[in-house]
Amino acid sequence: MPTLMREPAAGRFGDFGGRFVPESLVPACDALAAAFQDAWADPAFRAELDDLLAVYAGRPTPLTPARTLSAALGVELLLKREDLAHTGSHKINNVLGQGLLARRMCKRRIIAETGAGQHGVAAATAAALLGLEATIFMGERDIERQRLNVLRMTTLGATVVPVTTGSRTLKDATNEAMRAWVADVDGAHFLLGSVGGPHPYPWMVRELQRVIGEEARAQSPYVPDVVVACVGGGSNAAGTFAGFADTAARLVGVEAAGGAAMSSGRPGVVHGARSMVLQDAEGQVAEAESIAAGLDYPGIGPEHAFLGAAGRAEYHAVKDDEVIAAVRRLARDEGIICALESAHAVAWVLREAGGPLLPAGSRIVLTLSGRGDKDMATLEATA
């Protein structure tokens, strides 16, 4: 198993990962990998990032006992509260690191993709803080269902570019963001939001998100039996798992049933990396479907594909109606309105508690990756 600290050899996680990009992007990827390796080993860079995470992003986020749900389900459930970080999700951890790296590389602009808008808001926030221009690509369908986050991005000074091709969701936004990077590779940094894409992104984003798992492990009074997080591309899960991979805890990723690349996909290449990918009979990338815009993606990060194939992590799927019910149950029992993405992990716990996958008495750490104010219109429409 590749180490969860050092750069994976050739960007590979077993049979997954790598770099499948146009020749024009190879030097940029090489330069980015070298720059991140250098920065990550630089105490001054790490100190500046740690300071921003503490005084700007609000870290550490708490590990909150879900007492009412725990009593009702017969388990002990602890919630890692990334919804309380600045901008309302775990995305701030990654964008502050990549934003500092972009500035260190003398880039004037960041380019980013977004689905639910949480990464777009975080990227726009980091750009405003660090004096960078920001161009955010977002699918037209996602713009319609995430109007609040679009307004937040533009208020922060970012340019939001609607994507009208394909399914008009995250996959297509990522396509267009990568094309824009090719066109301005010298002046722009592609600030990818998840642990997908070509090397060094899966490794770099996981390292920037590992603060979630490291904090949770230090905060937990015990090594949990199960560590669970939602998975689309999988950055919050990768960061959470990194803190517990060397323990006996089971690592559980929860996908959207309509975008379950681990259970319904097969090996293939999407956005520059080999991973598990939803495909049609001809091997073309298939469309994903989820009520959560951030999980509406046909692939998964290559390290997740590796961890699943190696048996170190397991991946399950929940349906949209289970997700809606989970948002409402968590809100009414614990007073926490989480994002639809995060609710996938909650829904799995609600479904499995007391059964063979989560026996009575199980001790669980669950990452709430984001808050749910962005999803109020969707919840109202399903009432």
Side-chain angles (χ1 to χ4, degrees):
M1 180 179 297
T3 176
L4 291 181
M5 288 296 288
R6 292 190 299 271
E7 179 180 5
R12 290 279 184 173
F13 301 92
D15 292 333
F16 302 102
R19 183 185 292 161
F20 299 83
V21 295
E23 186 176 349
S24 58
L25 282 183
V26 171
C29 290
D30 285 339
L32 180 60
F36 180 68
Q37 186 76 277
D38 180 70
W40 211 230
D42 182 353
F45 179 89
R46 298 291 290 269
E48 185 175 12
L49 176 58
D50 288 346
D51 182 65
L52 284 178
L53 290 172
V55 304
Y56 186 74
R59 304 209 71 88
T61 58
L63 190 67
T64 302
R67 294 188 174 92
T68 301
L69 276 178
S70 294
L73 299 175
V75 299
E76 189 167 346
L77 177 61
L78 302 175
L79 305 174
K80 181 57 175 163
R81 300 292 304 282
E82 295 302 291
D83 58 308
L84 296 180
H86 181 45
T87 72
S89 82
H90 70 292
K91 297 294 188 180
I92 193 69
N93 308 322
N94 173 43
V95 301
L96 288 176
Q98 285 200 56
L100 289 174
L101 186 63
R103 192 177 66 180
R104 183 182 176 103
M105 296 176 71
C106 299
K107 303 295 185 180
R108 59 177 172 77
R109 173 169 89 109
I110 61 164
I111 295 167
E113 85 302 339
T114 196
Q118 294 292 75
H119 174 57
V121 169
T125 297
L129 176 69
L130 299 173
L132 302 168
E133 299 174 30
T135 303
I136 315 294
F137 290 84
M138 189 173 191
E140 190 176 54
R141 182 181 172 203
D142 292 336
I143 287 175
E144 293 167 358
R145 55 181 171 172
Q146 297 291 345
R147 293 298 305 173
L148 175 61
N149 277 343
V150 175
L151 291 172
R152 294 170 75 193
M153 286 183 268
T154 55
T155 299
L156 288 160
T159 299
V160 179
V161 180
V163 175
T164 59
T165 56
S167 62
R168 301 173 296 136
T169 55
L170 179 57
K171 171 178 70 70
D172 311 289
T174 306
N175 289 342
E176 294 305 315
M178 293 188 76
R179 289 189 183 104
W181 186 31
V182 171
D184 189 19
V185 72
D186 292 326
H189 169 66
F190 178 33
L191 204 168
L192 184 61
S194 196
V195 286
H199 178 66
Y201 285 102
W203 159 63
M204 178 173 67
V205 176
R206 179 250 283 156
E207 287 302 287
L208 292 169
Q209 292 290 5
R210 69 162 47 247
V211 64
I212 304 170
E214 290 177 347
E215 282 182 5
R217 183 169 176 175
Q219 292 166 326
S220 179
Y222 43 70
V223 174
D225 300 305
V226 182
V227 175
V228 59
C230 68
V231 176
S235 65
N236 91 94
T240 303
F241 292 175
F244 295 93
D246 62 345
T247 73
R250 287 168 53 211
L251 308 179
V252 176
V254 185
E255 300 180 282
M262 286 299 290
S263 58
S264 302
R266 59 184 191 271
V269 174
V270 65
H271 296 138
R274 188 173 192 269
S275 189
M276 296 297 290
V277 182
L278 295 179
Q279 301 173 58
D280 63 21
E282 285 72 45
Q284 298 298 308
V285 176
E287 303 294 352
E289 182 65 39
S290 173
I291 196 169
L295 303 189
D296 209 342
Y297 187 69
I300 193 169
E303 188 173 19
H304 285 296
F306 169 75
L307 291 173
R312 180 61 189 94
E314 57 195 81
Y315 296 85
H316 304 278
V318 296
K319 298 178 180 177
D320 287 351
D321 58 347
E322 294 176 287
V323 172
I324 292 293
V327 172
R328 295 191 170 122
R329 178 77 180 273
L330 183 66
R332 292 167 185 173
D333 282 6
E334 301 294 342
I336 299 170
I337 302 174
C338 73
L340 288 170
E341 291 78 15
S342 312
H344 284 67
V346 179
W348 182 79
V349 170
L350 292 176
R351 186 179 72 195
E352 302 298 343
L357 293 180
L358 277 181
S362 293
R363 300 182 297 186
I364 306 159
V365 168
L366 185 154
T367 295
L368 286 182
S369 57
R371 70 183 185 223
D373 47 339
K374 68 183 180 61
D375 297 317
M376 289 298 100
T378 301
L379 289 170
E380 182 181 37
T382 60

